[in-house]
Every structure is written in C-alpha cells, then in structure tokens.
Amino acid sequence: MLRRRPRPAAFLRLFATSCRRSSLHPSQPQLPNPAALPPPPVAKKVPFTVSAHGRSWSDPYHWMRDTSDPDLAALLAAENAYADAFVGSAGGGGLRARLAAEMRARLPPSAATPPQPWGPWLYYQYIPEGKEYPVLSRKLKPSRGIAQALLDYLSGSEKEQVLLDWNEVAEKNGYVHIGSCRISPDHRFLAYTVDTSGGELFSLEVKDLQSEHVIFSSPDKGIVSLAWARNSGSLFYTVCDETLRPNQVFCKKLQSDEAGFLVFTEEDVNCCVDITSTKDFKYMTVNSNTRTSSEVFVMESDNVREGLWPIRKRADKVQYFLEHHNGFFYILTNAPVNDTEMTTEGYYLARCQAENSLVDRWQIVMYPGSDCTIQDMDIFHGNLVLFLQKNGTPLFCSINMPIDVDIQEPKELNDLNPWYLPIPSNMCSIIPGSNNDFMSSTYRLVVSSPVIPDLTVDYDLRKRTFTVLHQEEVTSLSANLGTVGKSNVSSIQQNLQLVETSQSWSDLSKLYSCKRIEVISHDGVLIPLVILYSREAHRYGESPGILYGYGAYGEDLDKSWCSERLSLLSRGWVLAFADVRGGGDLSWHQAGTKANKINSIQDFAACGMHLIKEGLVQQNRLCAIGSSAGGLLVGAVINMLPDLFSAAVLKVPFLDICNTMLDPTLPLTVLDYEEFGDPNIPAEFEAICSYSPYDNLSPGVCYPPVLVTASFNDTRVGIWEAAKWVAKVRDITCTSCSQSVILKTNMQSGHFGEGGRFMHCDETAYDYAFLMKALRLDDITTA
C-alpha cells in the first residue's frame, strides 16, 4: 500500500460505528439524509497489482480502464440514476429546474458579436433565437464607415452569407465541437476542424465559399492547427499520433487531387508541433514545443518545397514567438542574452533580418522594464501590440511600427512611446478579438470582470482612442446596472448613438463587491485571491461560499463575467478565486510543478482557511470547485484537510494521477511529465504519490459530500479516474458520509462538455443544486 501521513486519532475512526462528522463539529450542517434514496451503487472488485520502484499495491478498480466492459456501462448508468435522484430531491424536487430557469432568463433570446472588418468583408457570429450554438457569417463591407455598417448589419440591408452553422452539425451528429476555423487570405475558402464524438479526434473540411460546397475532407483524424499560405492555394495542418500529440505538419494543395504531403515530423515524444502563418501571410512558422521550451522553423509561404530553416535550437526553459514585419522577424523570447547567462525571468523583444543566412544575427530591440513582463504580442502594418502583466494585472499597449532603434542600445518599453490601452478595472479578464487584418489600425478586445459583463472594445491604434461597441446583455438586471460614463451600453443599436459621444459601460459594482487580496501560504508566499459577493445578501460569519482553483499549465483561473453566478450571489453566497502556484506566468507556473506541486495544494488550503478565519464564509459552509487539473487540486486538499470543505464539485477531475502517469500509452501522459513529474524517476514518482487523490484516501475518515462529473468520451482525463475514485471513497471511507459522494457521467460528450449556451445553464444548475442540498440550504430562494 502507498504510505499516507497518519492522522490524529485515525484508529478511532476505523472502528466508529456511525458517522462522527456531525459530532466532531456540532455546528456542521447535517449531511443530506440518504434514507429517501436507494443505496448507492457498489462497484465490483477485480484483483490487480501495480508495481513501481520496488513496491507493489492493490488496485481492485483497475478494470474500469476497459471502457468496453459492459459492467462499466451498467455501473455508470446506476451511478447516473443515483446522482439524479440525489440532486433531484433538492428543494422539494424542483430546485435544479428553478435555478436553470433563472439562468436562462438572464440570457437574451439571441446573441451576436459586432462585425469585424477584414478586407472587403465584415465577419461576425450570432446565436439564433432558441439555438444552442453560433453561426459564422459575413457581409460585404460598405464604404460608408463602421457606424453605417452596423446599421446595415442590424437592418439586414446587406445580404448575409452563412459560412458555418454549428447547430446544423450538432443536429446531424448529436454533438459538435469546432476546433480551428480559418478564412483564406483571398476570402474564398473556409477551413475548419470538427469533432462529433467528444473524443477530440478532429476531422478537417475545406469549404469553397463561392460554390458553398465542401471541396476537401481530410482522411486523417486528429487535426489540430491550421494555417493558410499567402496564395490561398495551400493549406497547412498538423496531425496527431496515437497519444493525441500533434507531431506532423502536412500541406494540401487545393487544386491537386493528391493527398497532403508531409512537411515536418517531430520525433521527440516530449514535443508538440504547431503551424501558423505570420500576420502578413508571407512566412509559415512551425513551432515544436514542450510545455516550457520551443524551437521555431520558418519557410516562405509560397516556396514550400524550399524547406524549413531553423531560427534557434531548443534550449531548456527557453521559448520563442515569431512574427514578420517589413523584412524583419520580430521574436519574443526569454533566451539568454549571451552564452554565459541563465534564461531571463521574462520575455524581451529581439529581431533579425528575414533571410536564411542572417537569422542567427539577433538584435535586442526592447526590454519591458523592471515593473512588468511581456506575455505575448500581435503585429500590424503600423503597430505592434504587446500583452503585458504588471503586479498580476493584465495590460495591453501599442507601439508604432516600424521600430527605429539604435541596435547597439536596446530600449526599455517606455522609451518607445507606448500607448496603454484603457481598461475599466485592474481585475479584468481580457481576450483579443480575431484581429485578422494586417493592414488595420484598429485592435479589438473583449474585456470583462466578475462585475462587468463582456465589453467589446475597438482601439484605434493610430488616433489612440477607443470605442465601446457592445456589452453583453443581462436581461433580468437591466434596471439595476450601475454605469460608468453617460449611459448604459447593452446592445449594438444603443451603441450607434454612443460611438462619437460617450465611452461608457455598465458594471455591477454597486450591487456586488469584488476585491483582490493576498493570502499568506505555508511558506510565506502571498497568493492572490479574488472575492465576490452581494453587498445586500452577504452576511459576515454566516454566508456559504465556494472557492475555485486550477493551478496548472501556466493557465490563469477564469474570472471573466458569468451571469450564472448571480443565482448564488443573490442567495448570499461568496465566490472566491484562488490564483495558486502552477498557473500564471513562467516563474509562478514553475513554483507549482513537479516536486513543487505541493505548493499549489497548500496555497488552496490557505485561501480556504482565510475565508473562514476572516468571517467571509461560515466555517461549515465552505465549498470547493475544481475542473480537470483543478479537480486534482481540490481532491488533494480534501485528503489533507477533510473537514475544511463541507461540499465539493470535481468536474472531469484528474484524480488517479499516479496510475495514469505510469502508463505512457495514454493520451498526453508523456507530455505531462514536464508538468507533474516523470514517474520513471524515483524522486518524482514519490512526489506524485504523496498527493495523488486516489492513492491517499484515508480509511474510515468522514469525507464531505462530493459531486464528481465525468464524460465518457473524454480523451484527456479517462472516465475511469472519476469512477475509480468514487468507488474507492464508498469502499474505504466513512460508510454514512460516502453516500453523499455521487458520480454523474455525460455519455455523449468529451472533456469540454457539450458547450451549448442553454445546456451550460442546465449543467451549472445541477452543480449548484447539489451544493445547496449538501449544505441543507436548498430551501432558500433568491434574496
């Protein structure tokens, strides 16, 4: 057996004849009464022994790895019935439906993005009334200005051409996930990848937008990235191997009946391949990446047969991002400035001439300065846009192009007269628009925060002005929205009157408090924590709350606007978002990987304890939600501190990390060595074992109610991880408590769920109803 840290008085719990959770914590809400429910399903056990590094342990639920086993299908069906009965009894039987109805009522009947100009066209997406998925469309761009274009768009005076309707694909196949979607430079072709099973084995189709017929369907499955050559006659795409690692680049000539020919193969199983074109389409770039390092090759877009030339060879923890402008390659990198230096803490900007014989002669153009880091870049004919971070706050700035600098004296960012794009709040989530037009001087961002519904903003990089184009409508709150500026912005039609006279947006800061604090973790490091609650409904020392976490792959925790949260906020719940180590920028990411993964877990626990200590959340009403690698985070904390959370939701969770990482044939496993550690190395194996949620369940201990959701066709996290964890919890932990640990499996979808706007409301309502029932708060209506 794997060794676990002994817990105080653990032997007493082993011999307890009844649940001690309530007696140990008199103020703890009593667990949901399972008497009205059928007994939970019991999974069969099949003897199986796992061995590694000289020790062996039993895994009687290993059989669930065989997804074709009819016993697994029967078990999942029984678990779904039990979960539905458990959640269905919440609030007298109607809570989930009431929550879903609330969430749907906040959505406008239809939704649309403002059209974005590119070449002679205006491209936009909209969700038709009553539909789940978007439709990609375009209209010819009039020459009378963007305001008139918006009017024409609203009135329908310009003929619309539907390019791709996700709803039609979903209706035909029962499921749809569109991966990549690329318009050719001449605007004649649309290339897109589509998954109709949930397994992320995307197929490729190319549609001729003149004839409106599909002219090419790739025989390969597992297509990931797409890129067009400048002449629009060649399409490049990457193909995955059997472990879902993109490892090959192909080129398909549309006018030829021949299959796509191989351009590049990456043999290193630790690397993924990505194909892109530079913004001006003059060059193709092939990036061979690990999670922390990259190698870049380029080739002329119209001279594919001439082959690739390398920019720099791969080095540990060194990354490169390349663009082209006016005969120069501009490279964002953290490479050592000279041969003796270590890699730099953040990225700087370098350039070299776009010639094969000169690409090794780099010139450092600019350092970001001591108080900020560069995260990414986008390039246009007249401007360079830099994505920055300063004290954990995202920023964007624009620099005029071309950059004229003394190559002997690299500049700092502020020496280049940057324009910092105005952002409404330092807690905003910022997502760039498509911004496809290299010749444009307008840059689009979608900006939101926990209290600011999504804003679509166009920034004129030449005039250094901005225009609020659109804000997501929240129908049930329109009368209560606070306003910054002269008037609310809730639709495209209203915006037409505001383009020239007002820069305004609506926020809910008068209704909801949103603040960012820092919590001291176990080793003294300060962990950012964003806390959101209703100013009217929140009660200090009494309110329930949810702590969200992720902490992996350098990904930031999503804190953008979500109208579904209002159903909890109006009932007095506190929502907190912990940016634990493992996410974020390079250094923050590295501090939560491999042997440092324990930092992520301790950070999350510290944030939860802070919420209780400060009275923001009542001691026995704190819940947790984690998805995918965030499920590992929450699961590990539950093992470490089983009394900290009174309920949890684990969504497609990575729970059986030890067994998964020991099997290199599983999709993405080898690629995850860089994130979680290589179990073939004894020290890294021990580190993984020390926190693995499945392997550290404590016999006899009272675990909180947990809803575990999974997807049968998930190729990132196997369905067996959730099923094994639930079965083992029921088998070895407190028999009474474990009846409130339930498993809900979507038998059609994959890792990212079904994705429709109304279906997402139903899924979230299920999660919320479970948490309310678990805390015995399912009879509380909206405040």
Side-chain angles (χ1 to χ4, degrees):
M1 291 292 292
L2 293 178
R3 281 182 269 173
R4 286 184 284 271
R5 179 179 297 174
R7 300 185 185 280
F11 68 94
L12 293 176
R13 296 171 185 161
L14 287 172
F15 297 100
T17 57
S18 62
C19 174
R20 303 182 70 240
R21 188 177 182 86
S22 297
S23 60
L24 287 171
H25 302 279
S27 60
Q28 176 90 22
Q30 292 185 357
L31 293 172
N33 181 9
L37 299 173
V42 177
K44 72 177 183 181
K45 293 183 180 181
V46 177
F48 186 85
T49 300
V50 185
S51 299
H53 299 291
R55 55 178 166 136
S56 301
W57 61 96
S58 174
D59 185 10
Y61 302 112
H62 177 85
W63 66 269
M64 296 182 188
R65 283 274 303 273
D66 181 5
T67 57
S68 64
D69 190 326
D71 287 345
L72 178 61
L75 174 67
L76 297 179
E79 291 284 6
N80 279 351
Y82 184 75
D84 288 344
F86 189 99
V87 174
S89 64
L95 179 60
R96 179 193 178 191
R98 293 198 300 273
L99 290 169
E102 288 176 18
M103 297 172 189
R104 287 173 175 244
R106 297 188 194 104
L107 299 177
S110 60
T113 64
Q116 181 150 25
W118 182 22
W121 294 93
L122 294 170
Y123 290 90
Y124 54 96
Q125 294 185 47
Y126 66 93
I127 301 178
E129 185 170 351
K131 296 292 186 180
E132 293 278 2
Y133 300 103
V135 177
L136 174 63
S137 299
R138 71 179 182 183
K139 292 182 180 180
L140 281 171
K141 180 172 65 177
S143 58
R144 294 168 289 174
I146 187 65
Q148 184 61 47
L150 286 165
L151 282 173
D152 290 341
Y153 161 70
L154 288 169
S155 66
S157 62
E158 296 291 334
K159 184 180 179 182
E160 175 183 86
Q161 181 183 13
V162 173
L163 308 184
L164 182 62
D165 187 340
W166 277 251
N167 299 284
E168 291 182 357
V169 182
E171 289 166 7
K172 178 180 178 181
N173 298 281
Y175 175 87
V176 62
H177 181 184
I178 301 296
S180 300
C181 197
R182 299 287 184 268
I183 301 288
S184 62
D186 66 358
H187 303 272
R188 178 174 174 179
F189 302 105
L190 170 66
Y192 58 94
T193 61
V194 59
D195 169 28
T196 56
S197 71
E200 296 187 72
L201 291 173
F202 290 90
S203 58
L204 167 63
E205 295 188 347
V206 179
K207 183 178 181 180
D208 186 333
L209 300 180
Q210 289 184 1
S211 67
E212 300 191 345
H213 292 125
V214 173
I215 61 171
F216 174 70
S217 295
S218 170
D220 298 303
K221 298 289 186 180
I223 312 296
V224 180
S225 53
L226 308 174
W228 286 100
R230 180 168 54 170
N231 62 14
S232 298
S234 298
L235 176 68
F236 295 81
Y237 56 94
T238 59
V239 180
C240 291
D241 65 10
E242 62 277 3
T243 65
L244 298 187
R245 176 181 69 97
N247 70 320
Q248 292 184 316
V249 178
F250 286 85
C251 176
K252 167 62 180 175
K253 292 187 177 295
L254 296 186
Q255 302 306 318
S256 171
D257 292 332
E258 296 180 2
F261 61 87
L262 183 64
V263 175
F264 179 84
T265 299
E266 177 54 78
E267 302 291 351
D268 189 337
V269 296
N270 297 293
C271 298
C272 293
V273 172
D274 186 35
I275 180 73
T276 59
S277 61
T278 56
K279 193 68 167 276
D280 58 8
F281 290 102
K282 290 183 178 180
Y283 293 89
M284 311 304 299
T285 66
V286 175
N287 293 66
S288 178
N289 308 305
T290 68
R291 298 217 186 266
T292 59
S293 63
S294 63
E295 187 174 15
V296 182
F297 304 85
V298 299
M299 60 184 165
E300 294 182 25
S301 179
D302 296 333
N303 291 297
V304 179
R305 298 293 183 180
E306 295 296 320
L308 295 160
W309 4 305
I311 297 297
R312 283 282 175 97
K313 291 185 177 181
R314 182 181 292 108
D316 186 39
K317 298 181 181 178
V318 174
Q319 294 184 320
Y320 309 98
F321 305 93
L322 180 145
E323 262 296 352
H324 175 261
H325 188 279
N326 196 28
F328 284 91
F329 290 135
Y330 284 83
I331 305 151
L332 201 59
T333 183
N334 63 334
V337 175
N338 57 57
D339 293 337
T340 62
E341 289 189 358
M342 300 291 287
T343 56
T344 61
E345 180 68 19
Y347 298 111
Y348 60 89
L349 185 67
R351 73 177 180 183
C352 64
Q353 292 188 39
E355 296 181 27
N356 191 2
S357 61
L358 299 175
V359 293
D360 60 340
R361 302 180 186 178
W362 285 22
Q363 308 159 351
I364 297 177
V365 176
M366 176 268 294
Y367 294 106
S370 59
D371 60 344
C372 71
T373 59
I374 304 175
Q375 305 292 311
D376 205 345
M377 67 176 176
D378 201 350
I379 203 162
F380 298 85
H381 177 71
N383 301 90
L384 174 70
V385 177
L386 295 174
F387 308 2
L388 309 170
Q389 193 168 79
K390 183 175 182 179
N391 298 325
T393 298
L395 299 172
F396 282 67
C397 76
S398 171
I399 299 169
N400 292 336
M401 294 290 283
I403 297 175
D404 184 17
V405 298
D406 180 351
I407 61 173
Q408 301 302 320
E409 296 291 337
K411 303 291 185 181
E412 285 203 358
L413 174 59
N414 288 333
D415 295 331
L416 298 176
N417 190 29
W419 178 48
Y420 290 91
L421 279 55
I423 303 296
S425 164
N426 63 358
M427 285 186 288
C428 281
S429 167
I430 307 172
I431 301 174
S434 55
N435 298 309
N436 289 316
D437 195 342
F438 177 72
M439 299 306 296
S440 177
S441 62
T442 300
Y443 193 72
R444 179 166 295 181
L445 294 176
V446 178
V447 181
S448 75
S449 82
V451 294
I452 300 178
D454 288 8
L455 284 166
T456 303
V457 186
D458 274 359
Y459 296 85
D460 190 319
L461 305 180
R462 186 179 299 123
K463 297 179 181 178
R464 299 195 167 188
T465 60
F466 70 96
T467 301
V468 177
L469 289 180
H470 177 251
Q471 184 162 31
E472 179 183 331
E473 185 177 358
V474 186
T475 57
S476 64
L477 287 174
S478 58
N480 298 317
L481 287 174
T483 305
V484 179
K486 296 183 179 179
S487 59
N488 288 339
V489 181
S490 60
S491 70
I492 297 175
Q493 182 65 52
Q494 284 182 319
N495 180 69
L496 294 175
Q497 303 159 8
L498 300 170
V499 169
E500 300 298 333
T501 61
S502 172
Q503 300 306 320
S504 62
W505 52 82
S506 303
D507 69 49
L508 283 72
S509 58
K510 292 182 179 179
L511 301 176
Y512 303 102
S513 170
C514 182
K515 57 186 177 182
R516 181 182 184 271
I517 65 170
E518 292 180 325
V519 174
I520 301 174
S521 191
H522 68 110
D523 54 358
V525 173
L526 297 178
I527 310 304
L529 181 66
V530 172
I531 302 171
L532 175 69
Y533 58 85
S534 166
R535 297 184 186 276
E536 179 181 356
H538 178 253
R539 298 291 183 267
Y540 274 93
E542 299 178 14
S543 282
I546 299 175
L547 181 63
Y548 294 84
Y550 185 70
Y553 306 113
E555 296 288 337
D556 291 323
L557 188 62
D558 181 20
K559 296 180 283 291
S560 58
W561 168 257
C562 177
S563 64
E564 294 164 355
R565 297 181 190 134
L566 301 180
S567 290
L568 292 179
L569 295 172
S570 64
R571 290 172 168 84
W573 287 63
V574 174
L575 307 181
F577 307 85
D579 285 311
V580 302
R581 280 171 282 187
D585 60 22
L586 183 61
S587 60
W588 198 250
H589 173 219
Q590 291 296 312
T593 62
K594 294 187 175 181
N596 294 325
K597 189 62 190 173
I598 192 65
N599 288 334
S600 306
I601 298 163
Q602 294 279 14
D603 295 349
F604 196 69
C607 289
M609 289 186 284
H610 178 87
L611 292 172
I612 293 171
K613 178 182 177 182
E614 297 301 315
L616 289 160
V617 177
Q618 204 270 343
Q619 179 178 359
N620 297 307
R621 289 182 172 179
L622 177 61
C623 305
I625 294 181
S627 298
S628 194
L632 182 155
L633 178 76
V634 177
V637 174
I638 290 174
N639 283 337
M640 184 173 69
L641 299 169
D643 295 322
L644 178 59
F645 300 119
S646 295
V649 177
L650 309 181
K651 303 177 73 64
V652 289
F654 189 22
L655 296 170
D656 190 18
I657 182 173
C658 186
N659 287 311
T660 293
M661 298 298 285
L662 283 169
D663 187 350
T665 66
L666 290 173
L668 308 178
T669 294
V670 174
L671 297 175
D672 272 341
Y673 287 173
E674 205 166 3
E675 184 71 23
F676 299 105
D678 182 350
N680 298 299
I681 301 172
E684 296 185 6
F685 168 76
E686 293 293 338
I688 292 170
C689 289
S690 71
Y691 63 77
S692 171
Y694 179 70
D695 295 296
N696 287 282
L697 292 169
S698 297
V701 169
C702 296
Y703 273 59
V706 181
L707 164 61
V708 184
T709 69
S711 294
F712 190 79
N713 295 322
D714 193 342
T715 53
R716 294 181 182 241
V717 180
I719 173 61
W720 56 86
E721 301 223 7
K724 287 175 64 176
W725 188 86
V726 169
K728 189 173 180 180
V729 167
R730 296 228 188 96
D731 181 37
I732 72 169
T733 70
C734 170
T735 303
S736 178
C737 292
S738 65
Q739 294 184 61
S740 298
V741 175
I742 65 175
L743 172 64
K744 176 67 173 177
T745 302
N746 186 318
M747 301 300 291
Q748 284 78 43
S749 70
H751 191 69
F752 298 104
E754 297 196 55
R757 66 197 297 243
F758 297 121
M759 286 188 286
H760 193 270
C761 291
D762 295 339
E763 179 183 316
T764 304
Y766 197 99
D767 298 345
Y768 290 0
F770 169 82
L771 294 176
M772 291 178 187
K773 178 180 174 64
L775 297 190
R776 291 286 182 97
L777 298 175
D778 47 326
D779 59 343
I780 298 178
T781 58
T782 55

